[in-house]
C-alpha cells in the first residue's frame, strides 16, 4: 500500500498544519494567548507524564516540583544574575532531571499507587519548602521577572513567546510519538506489562525507568519555564500540587494511544476550565465528570473514539486486523 | 580446553526450609541441546531461575564460559548471552507480537545504562528499528508464528510460547534456557520449534530444554539430565536415559530413587 | 516529651484517619482495589452536616445523620456508576477504573463546594463545651465523643467482619476474586455492602470530626491521601490495621509539628511514607502467608 509509505510523513505534516492554524488563530489576541499558554503548560506536563506513566507504567507525579524548578530557574536567573535568561532552561532541566532521578532511586521498589502516594507527598513537601525557603524562592510572594528571554539581543515579546510555546509543544509531542515507536519506546512499553521478561532480555530495567522519568521531568521543567516566561512571575501556588492529577487525567481524556491524545486532552481541559477560576470553579467539576464519563464510555479516549468511528466507516470497505494500542 | 558454555556446580536452594534443589550439577556444551526432565517438583524451574538470575543459590555456582555468572538477569543476558523463555509466558499484551519480539533484539546492543540513553536519543531523532522488525518477522516465520502483527493479548498459549522463543532468539544468545516451550503447542508448531532449536544449536548456542514431555525432549536432545527430588539422578545419552532404572523409578515408581 | 494535651489531640486525629482508612479497608477487602473516593464522601458528609446545622439551623444530630446518609448514597452511586461498568476482575486492567475513582474524588470535592459553598464551615456540635481535666490535659466532651464513636464503629466493624456470613464473604472475596466468582460467591452483593460501609465510615469521620476545626471542600484529596497512608502503615491483615495506622500517622505528624514547627508536617509525612513503603510495605499487621 502506498499509504504506508506516506505514513511517516503524514504525522509531522498534518500536525504541523494544525499547528500553523493554531498559531494563526491565536494571533495577537490577548485572551487567546492566555488560552494557548495554559494549554501548553498543561500539555507539556501531560506529555512529561506520558513518557513514563502511559508508556512505562511509572505513576510518579511530582510535576508541580519539576514545573516549579523550571519556573524558578528562570525567575532566579532573571533577578539574581546578569546571565542571559536562556541559560536558565538547561539549568532548570538539569535540576529537574536530578531531582527526578534521586526521587526515582528512592522509590525504585515502589509501583502503582504506592509510588503515586510518595511522589504526591514529595510534591506537597516541595511546595511547603518553596514557601519556607523565602531566602531562595521569595517565599509566598514568589519571584517577579524583571526581564524577558532575549535572543540575539532582542527581548522576546508575549506574541513571540506564545508562538514559541506552541511550537515547543508540537515538537515535543512529535518527538515523543517517534520515541514511542522506536525500539526504546517499545521496550519501555513492554516493561510496563512484562518487566521480568524485559529485564531477562538484557535491558537494565531500573535505568530504563530512570531515563523515562528524566525525560518527563525535563519536559515538566519546560512547562514551568513557558508558564513563567508568559506571565513574568512565579509563585508557589502558580502550579498547584493537584496539577499532577490533571496530567494523569489528560491522556485518559484525549487518548493514551499517542502523545497527541495529551495535546487534545490539554486543549479540552483549558477549554473547560479557563473562564471558571480553575481549581475553585465548576470547570473542575465538569472536567472531573467528563473524565469519569470518558473512562467509562470511551476507554481509549477521544482519539480511540475517533478511530472507532473512522474504523467503522473504513471497515465497511476494508476489514483489517486490530491496530496496536 | 573446556567447551562447556554453561556449567552448574553443586547448586542448592531452599525456600523457607523446603529444599527445592540440592547439590545439582550438570553442563551444557557449545552447540549442544541438553534436555532437563523430571516430574513436577523435581526442581527444574528452580534450576532455570538460578541460572537466569531470578533466584540466587544458597550455595554452589553457575559458570558461563568458565566465568561465574552473577548479578541481575539483565547483566547475565548482556555478559553471558543468556536468553530464556518462561513456563508462564511473560509478554506485554497491549503490544503486537512483533514489538514483543524486538525487545530481545533491542537489548542486544546495550552495554550499559548510557547505551540505553543513546538508544532513547536515537529513538527521538529517527525511530528506526526497521531491521529489527524485519528480523523479528523472519525468526517468527521460521518458528511458524504467523499472527505477528496482532496484539499479544489475542494470541493463543502456543503462539505466546513461540513468541517468547522468537524474543529469546533475537538476543542472538550463547545460552538459551527454554522453559516448557512445547506445552500447549499443536503438532505443526512443535515441528517448527524443533527445527528452529536445532538451527540455533547448530550455530553454537548451548540450549537447555526443560520440559515435561520426555518423548519430545528425547527426540531432540544430545544429552538428557533427569532430576528428581531436587537432585540430578541421571545424566547421559537420551536412549540410555529412557532405558535407565532411574527413569523407570521416577516416572513409573517401580523402585526407590536415591535422594 | 510530648505534653499530654498533644497526645489527646493525636488520639483524636488518629481516630479520624483510622475511620477514613477503615472505609478504604472494607472496599480493599471485598474487591481488592483502593477506593480513592473516600475522601470525597467524608468532605461531602462534613460539609452537608455543617451546612444543615450552621446555615439551616437543624439540630446537630440531624445534620450528622444527613451527612452520613449522603455519604452512603454517594458511595453506592460510585459503585453503580463507576465500579460496576468498569470493573474487570483478575485482569491487570484495574488502572482505568481506579483513575476514574480519583476523578470521582475531584468531582465529589467540587460538588460539595457547589452545593454547600466554598468557605470553611463550623461542624455540628453534638455535645456542649463540657470538659474533664486529665492530669495536665483537658479532654473536651467533643474529643470524648469522637473517640467513643470511633470505638463503637470499629467494634461494629469487627462484629460484622468476623461474626457475620457477609463479613466472612468479604474477606474471602478480597483474597481471590476470580476464584470467588467461580465458586459462586455473591461478589456483587458483598461489594455493595462494602461500599455502604465505606460511605458510613467516611461519612461518620467527616461529619463528627468536622466540629474540631471546621471543614472546607478542598480537603478531599488530603483525606484520601492520609487514609491511604494510614492503611499502608497499618496493613490490611486485621480490622485494627487501619486504626493503628491512623494513630501512628497522627503521632508522626503531630510530633513533627511539635518539635519542628508546622512546616515539618509535609517533610515528616514524606519521610514516614518512604520509610514505611521501603521497609514494611505489608504494614504493621502482617498477613500470614503460607509457603
Amino acid at each position: 500500500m502506498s499509504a504506508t509509505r506516506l505514513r511517516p510523513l503524514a504525522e509531522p505534516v498534518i500536525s504541523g498544519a494544525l499547528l500553523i492554524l493554531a498559531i494563526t488563530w491565536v494571533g495577537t489576541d490577548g485572551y487567546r494567548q492566555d488560552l494557548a499558554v495554559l494549554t501548553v503548560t498543561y500539555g507539556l506536563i501531560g506529555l512529561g507524564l506520558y513518557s513514563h506513566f502511559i508508556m512505562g507504567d511509572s505513576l510518579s507525579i511530582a510535576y508541580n516540583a519539576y514545573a516549579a524548578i523550571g519556573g524558578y530557574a528562570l525567575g532566579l536567573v532573571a533577578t539574581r544574575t546578569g546571565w542571559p535568561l536562556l541559560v536558565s532552561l538547561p539549568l532548570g532541566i538539569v535540576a529537574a532531571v536530578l531531582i527526578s532521578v534521586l526521587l526515582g532511586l528512592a522509590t525504585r521498589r515502589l509501583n502503582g499507587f504506592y509510588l503515586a502516594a510518595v511522589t504526591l507527598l514529595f510534591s506537597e513537601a516541595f511546595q511547603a519548602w518553596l514557601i519556607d525557603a523565602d531566602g531562595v524562592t521569595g517565599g509566598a510572594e514568589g519571584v517577579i521577572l524583571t526581564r524577558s528571554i532575549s535572543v540575539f539581543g532582542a527581548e522576546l515579546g508575549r506574541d513571540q513567546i506564545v508562538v514559541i510555546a506552541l511550537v515547543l509543544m508540537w515538537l515535543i509531542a512529535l518527538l515523543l510519538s517517534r520515541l514511542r515507536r522506536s525500539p526504546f519506546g517499545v521496550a519501555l512499553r513492554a516493561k510496563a506489562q512484562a518487566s521480568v521478561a524485559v529485564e531477562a532480555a538484557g535491558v537494565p530495567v531500573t535505568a530504563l525507568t530512570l531515563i523515562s522519568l528524566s525525560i518527563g521531568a525535563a519536559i515538566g521543567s519546560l512547562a514551568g519555564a513557558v508558564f513563567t516566561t508568559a506571565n513574568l512571575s512565579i509563585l508557589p501556588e502558580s502550579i498547584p500540587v493537584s496539577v499532577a492529577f490533571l496530567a494523569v487525567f489528560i491522556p485518559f481524556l484525549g487518548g493514551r494511544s499517542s502523545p497527541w491524545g495529551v495535546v487534545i486532552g490539554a486543549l479540552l481541559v483549558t477549554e473547560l476550565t479557563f473562564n471558571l477560576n480553575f481549581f475553585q470553579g465548576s470547570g473542575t467539576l465538569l472536567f472531573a465528570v467528563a473524565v469519569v464519563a470518558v473512562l467509562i464510555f470511551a476507554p481509549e479516549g477521544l482519539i480511540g473514539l475517533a478511530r472507532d468511528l473512522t474504523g467503522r466507516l473504513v471497515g465497511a470497505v476494508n476489514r483489517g486486523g486490530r491496530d496496536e494500542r | 580446553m573446556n567447551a562447556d558454555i554453561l556449567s552448574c556446580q553443586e547448586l542448592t536452594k531452599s525456600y523457607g526450609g523446603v529444599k527445592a534443589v540440592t547439590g545439582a550439577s550438570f553442563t551444557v556444551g557449545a552447540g549442544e541441546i541438553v534436555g532437563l526432565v523430571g516430574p513436577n517438583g523435581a526442581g527444574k524451574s528452580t534450576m532455570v531461575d538460578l541460572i537466569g538470575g531470578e533466584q540466587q543459590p544458597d550455595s554452589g555456582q553457575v559458570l558461563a564460559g568458565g566465568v561465574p555468572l552473577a548479578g541481575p538477569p539483565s547483566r547475565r543476558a548482556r555478559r553471558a548471552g543468556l536468553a530464556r523463555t518462561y513456563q508462564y509466558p511473560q509478554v506485554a499484551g497491549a503490544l503486537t507480537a512483533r514489538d514483543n519480539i524486538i525487545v530481545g533484539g533491542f537489548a542486544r546492543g546495550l552495554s550499559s545504562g548510557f547505551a540505553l540513553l543513546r538508544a532513547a536519543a536515537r529513538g527521538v531523532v529517527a525511530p528506526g528499528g526497521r531491521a529489527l522488525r524485519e528480523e523479528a518477522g523472519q525468526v517468527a516465520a521460521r518458528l511458524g508464528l504467523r499472527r505477528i502483527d496482532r496484539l499479544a493479548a489475542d494470541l493463543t498459549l502456543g503462539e505466546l510460547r513461540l513468541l517468547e522463543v522468537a524474543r529469546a532468539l533475537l538476543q542472538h544468545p550463547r545460552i538459551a534456557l527454554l522453559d516448557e516451550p512445547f506445552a500447549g503447542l499443536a503438532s505443526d508448531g512443535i515441528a517448527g520449534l524443533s527445527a528452529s532449536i536445532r538451527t540455533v544449536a547448530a550455530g553454537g548456542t548451548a540450549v537447555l530444554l526443560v520440559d515435561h514431555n520426555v518423548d519430545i525432549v528425547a527426540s531432540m536432545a544430545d544429552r538428557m539430565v533427569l532430576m528428581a527430588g531436587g537432585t540430578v539422578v541421571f545424566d547421559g545419552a537420551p536412549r540410555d536415559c529412557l532405558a535407565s532404572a532411574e527413569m523407570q523409578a521416577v516416572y513409573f515408581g517401580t523402585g526407590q530413587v536415591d535422594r | 516529651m510530648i505534653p499530654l494535651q498533644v497526645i489527646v489531640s493525636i488520639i483524636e486525629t488518629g481516630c479520624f484517619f483510622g475511620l477514613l482508612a477503615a472505609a478504604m479497608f472494607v472496599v480493599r477487602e471485598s474487591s481488592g482495589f483502593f477506593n480513592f473516593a473516600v475522601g470525597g464522601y467524608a468532605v461531602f458528609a462534613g460539609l452537608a452536616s455543617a451546612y444543615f446545622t450552621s446555615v439551616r439551623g437543624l439540630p446537630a444530630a440531624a445534620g450528622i445523620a444527613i451527612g452520613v446518609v449522603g455519604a452512603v448514597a454517594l458511595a453506592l452511586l460510585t459503585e453503580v456508576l463507576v465500579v460496576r461498568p468498569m470493573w474487570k476482575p483478575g485482569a491487570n486492567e484495574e488502572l482505568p477504573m481506579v483513575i476514574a475513582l480519583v476523578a470521582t474524588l475531584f468531582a465529589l470535592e467540587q460538588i460539595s463546594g457547589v452545593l454547600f459553598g466554598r468557605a470553611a464551615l463550623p461542624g455540628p456540635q453534638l455535645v456542649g463545651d463540657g470538659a474533664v481535666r486529665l492530669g495536665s490535659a483537658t479532654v473536651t466532651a467533643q474529643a470524648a465523643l469522637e473517640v467513643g464513636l470511633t470505638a463503637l464503629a470499629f467494634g461494629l466493624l469487627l462484629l460484622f467482619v468476623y461474626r457475620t456470613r457477609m463479613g466472612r464473604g468479604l474477606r474471602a472475596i478480597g483474597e481471590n476474586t476470580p476464584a470467588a466468582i467461580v465458586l459462586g460467591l455473591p461478589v456483587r452483593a458483598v461489594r455493595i455492602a462494602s461500599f455502604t460501609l465505606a460511605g458510613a465510615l467516611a461519612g461518620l469521620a467527616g461529619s463528627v470530626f468536622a466540629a474540631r476545626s471546621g471543614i472546607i471542600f478542598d480537603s478531599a484529596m488530603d483525606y484520601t491521601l492520609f487514609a491511604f497512608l494510614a492503611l499502608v502503615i497499618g496493613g490490611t491483615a486485621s480490622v485494627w490495621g487501619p486504626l493503628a495506622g491512623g494513630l501512628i500517622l497522627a503521632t508522626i505528624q503531630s510530633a513533627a509539628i511539635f518539635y519542628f514547627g508546622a512546616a515539618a508536617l509535609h517533610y515528616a509525612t514524606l519521610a514516614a511514607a518512604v520509610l514505611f513503603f521501603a521497609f514494611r510495605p505489608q504494614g504493621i499487621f502482617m498477613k500470614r502467608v503460607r509457603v
Side-chain angles (χ1 to χ4, degrees):
Chain A
M1 276 198 297
S2 60
T4 334
R5 280 205 195 143
L6 286 176
R7 216 178 231 176
L9 274 180
E11 187 181 27
V13 169
I14 295 174
S15 61
L18 288 172
L19 170 73
I20 291 168
L21 268 179
I23 290 173
T24 325
W25 180 79
V26 170
T28 53
D29 182 320
Y31 167 75
R32 290 177 179 178
Q33 287 183 344
D34 288 348
L35 271 181
V37 167
L38 208 59
T39 305
V40 172
T41 307
Y42 293 151
L44 287 180
I45 290 177
L47 287 169
L49 210 83
Y50 190 91
S51 71
H52 53 80
F53 171 44
I54 301 298
M55 292 208 273
D57 201 32
S58 302
L59 192 42
S60 174
I61 57 175
Y63 270 82
N64 80 310
Y66 306 145
I69 290 170
Y72 276 99
L74 207 65
L76 294 180
V77 168
T79 52
R80 302 281 179 90
T81 72
W83 305 340
L85 270 191
L86 274 179
V87 172
S88 70
L89 296 182
L91 280 181
I93 288 175
V94 168
V97 165
L98 217 63
I99 297 252
S100 77
V101 168
L102 290 177
L103 192 59
L105 282 173
T107 56
R108 72 183 179 284
R109 287 167 64 192
L110 302 178
N111 54 31
F113 294 100
Y114 299 90
L115 178 59
V118 171
T119 48
L120 180 64
L121 287 168
F122 175 81
S123 284
E124 294 200 330
F126 192 85
Q127 184 105 335
W129 177 81
L130 284 178
I131 298 171
D132 260 12
D134 47 6
V136 183
T137 62
E141 267 109 71
V143 182
I144 311 284
L145 268 67
T146 44
R147 55 199 167 105
S148 179
I149 290 183
S150 47
V151 179
F152 302 122
E155 245 186 38
L156 296 180
R158 195 174 159 86
D159 291 357
Q160 289 101 320
I161 285 167
V162 170
V163 172
I164 291 171
L166 285 167
V167 173
L168 186 69
M169 179 170 70
W170 170 76
L171 191 67
I172 286 177
L174 192 65
L175 293 182
L176 271 186
S177 179
R178 296 164 78 87
L179 184 69
R180 183 180 175 278
R181 290 195 305 271
S182 76
F184 177 91
V186 169
L188 184 57
R189 287 185 288 144
K191 184 214 78 171
Q193 288 184 296
S195 165
V196 175
V198 173
E199 163 91 24
V203 183
V205 167
T206 306
L208 185 68
T209 304
L210 289 177
I211 290 173
S212 68
L213 290 170
S214 308
I215 294 172
I219 300 173
S221 155
L222 286 175
V226 165
F227 183 87
T228 306
T229 324
N231 296 311
L232 291 174
S233 74
I234 177 88
L235 309 166
E237 66 264 31
S238 298
I239 297 155
V241 171
S242 36
V243 84
F245 289 96
L246 266 184
V248 171
F249 295 149
I250 281 173
F252 283 89
L253 193 59
R256 285 177 288 164
S257 61
S258 150
W260 298 110
V262 175
V263 176
I264 294 170
L267 267 170
L268 262 169
V269 176
T270 312
E271 205 44 57
L272 276 172
T273 56
F274 186 63
N275 284 325
L276 307 150
N277 185 17
F278 202 52
F279 281 116
Q280 302 260 317
S282 45
T284 314
L285 176 57
L286 263 176
F287 172 61
V289 172
V291 170
V292 176
V294 165
L295 279 165
I296 294 173
F297 298 111
E300 296 299 321
L302 296 176
I303 285 191
L305 204 63
R307 196 179 276 170
D308 265 11
L309 290 177
T310 50
R312 256 174 232 172
L313 289 175
V314 177
V317 186
N318 172 21
R319 299 214 171 272
R322 244 172 96 181
D323 197 7
E324 163 200 4
R325 187 169 88 194
Chain B
M1 180 67 204
N2 187 356
D4 293 336
I5 296 289
L6 177 68
S7 168
C8 299
Q9 299 183 335
E10 295 291 322
L11 289 175
T12 297
K13 176 76 183 175
S14 53
Y15 299 101
V18 181
K19 292 211 162 176
V21 171
T22 316
S25 304
F26 62 83
T27 61
V28 186
E32 193 180 19
I33 300 176
V34 170
L36 179 61
V37 294
N40 271 328
K44 302 190 301 286
S45 297
T46 304
M47 287 301 289
V48 173
D49 282 349
L50 290 176
I51 300 168
E54 267 88 3
Q55 304 280 348
Q56 302 301 320
D58 299 335
S59 67
Q61 60 177 351
V62 181
L63 303 180
V67 181
L69 255 186
S74 65
R75 188 177 302 158
R76 294 178 184 218
R78 294 195 305 272
R79 295 273 165 81
L82 193 75
R84 67 167 295 184
T85 69
Y86 295 84
Q87 194 179 348
Y88 304 101
Q90 301 285 322
V91 301
L95 268 59
T96 60
R98 193 189 293 271
D99 277 352
N100 270 287
I101 294 170
I102 70 166
V103 171
F106 172 67
R108 211 162 64 201
L110 298 175
S111 50
S112 66
F114 287 104
L116 205 56
L117 203 57
R118 274 203 303 279
R122 241 196 335 267
V124 166
V125 179
R130 177 178 290 174
L132 276 181
R133 286 194 165 84
E134 277 168 12
E135 188 185 347
Q138 288 157 7
V139 169
R142 254 183 282 138
L143 284 166
L145 175 61
R146 274 180 291 276
R147 303 198 293 165
I148 189 173
D149 289 312
R150 295 289 287 271
L151 295 183
D154 295 342
L155 301 187
T156 64
L157 178 63
E159 287 173 310
L160 292 180
R161 296 213 182 280
L162 296 177
L163 187 167
E164 286 214 316
V165 174
R167 182 175 62 201
L169 294 186
L170 238 68
Q171 284 178 245
H172 297 178
R174 286 201 294 143
I175 304 168
L177 307 175
L178 307 179
D179 198 353
E180 308 265 347
F182 293 105
L185 241 58
S187 56
D188 58 333
I190 292 176
L193 181 54
S194 307
S196 288
I197 292 174
R198 287 204 181 91
T199 310
V200 172
T205 300
V207 178
L208 182 65
L209 189 60
V210 184
D211 217 293
H212 272 111
N213 193 328
V214 175
D215 292 332
I216 294 183
V217 174
S219 73
M220 296 191 57
D222 301 311
R223 196 150 52 77
M224 271 167 81
V225 173
L226 174 65
M227 283 187 81
T231 55
V232 173
V233 294
F234 189 91
D235 185 342
R239 188 181 300 169
D240 299 341
C241 181
L242 290 179
S244 68
E246 287 83 358
M247 193 68 172
Q248 295 291 318
V250 168
Y251 279 96
F252 307 106
T254 54
Q256 204 64 44
V257 174
D258 186 36
R259 305 214 157 175
Chain C
M1 190 54 205
I2 299 175
L4 209 51
Q5 191 64 60
V6 177
I7 292 177
V8 171
S9 139
I10 286 175
I11 293 172
E12 284 184 80
T13 313
C15 285
F16 177 64
F17 292 164
L19 283 176
L20 288 175
M24 215 177 251
F25 165 80
V26 286
V27 174
R28 169 84 185 168
E29 284 295 284
S30 78
S31 318
F33 58 82
F34 291 107
N35 181 4
F36 289 120
V38 293
Y41 310 151
V43 159
F44 183 91
L47 274 176
S49 62
Y51 174 82
F52 282 107
T53 46
S54 69
V55 181
R56 291 297 169 110
L58 290 186
I64 288 176
I66 291 174
V68 174
V69 169
V72 170
L74 289 176
L76 287 174
L77 275 176
T78 315
E79 203 282 334
V80 172
L81 296 179
V82 180
V83 174
R84 201 172 77 89
M86 297 192 71
W87 190 67
K88 293 177 192 138
N92 199 11
E93 283 293 309
E94 218 173 65
L95 180 73
M97 186 195 71
V98 183
I99 298 286
L101 287 174
V102 179
T104 305
L105 170 72
F106 279 90
L108 290 178
E109 182 175 290
Q110 295 301 327
I111 287 172
S112 308
V114 169
L115 288 178
F116 309 118
R118 293 170 191 285
L121 289 177
Q125 297 284 346
L126 204 52
V127 287
D129 291 333
V132 185
R133 291 214 49 92
L134 194 81
S136 59
T138 311
V139 179
T140 60
Q142 172 68 26
L145 174 81
E146 289 162 1
V147 175
L149 280 176
T150 305
L152 184 68
F154 270 91
L156 291 174
L157 186 62
L158 205 66
L159 283 178
F160 173 76
V161 170
Y162 294 109
R163 289 293 153 84
T164 66
R165 178 186 285 265
M166 187 155 261
R168 284 193 292 267
L170 187 92
R171 293 178 70 79
I173 292 171
E175 291 283 311
N176 190 342
T177 312
I181 293 172
V182 174
L183 289 173
L185 291 180
V187 172
R188 178 90 204 279
V190 168
R191 194 169 70 221
I192 288 178
S194 76
F195 268 80
T196 310
L197 267 177
L201 288 165
L204 193 69
S207 52
V208 170
F209 285 75
R212 275 186 83 198
S213 46
I215 183 150
I216 188 159
F217 80 106
D218 64 3
S219 315
M221 190 191 78
D222 273 348
Y223 287 0
T224 287
L225 182 61
F226 293 149
F228 181 63
L229 288 177
L231 192 53
V232 171
I233 291 174
T236 56
S238 148
V239 168
W240 299 113
L243 187 58
L247 287 166
I248 292 171
L249 181 63
T251 308
I252 292 169
Q253 291 189 340
S254 303
I257 293 175
F258 180 75
Y259 286 115
F260 307 109
L265 170 75
H266 297 289
Y267 308 142
T269 315
L270 172 64
V274 170
L275 290 178
F276 265 98
F277 287 3
F279 295 109
R280 204 150 181 87
Q282 68 281 65
I284 297 283
F285 291 97
M286 236 199 291
K287 222 169 210 161
R288 271 190 206 92
V289 183
R290 278 184 303 161
V291 188

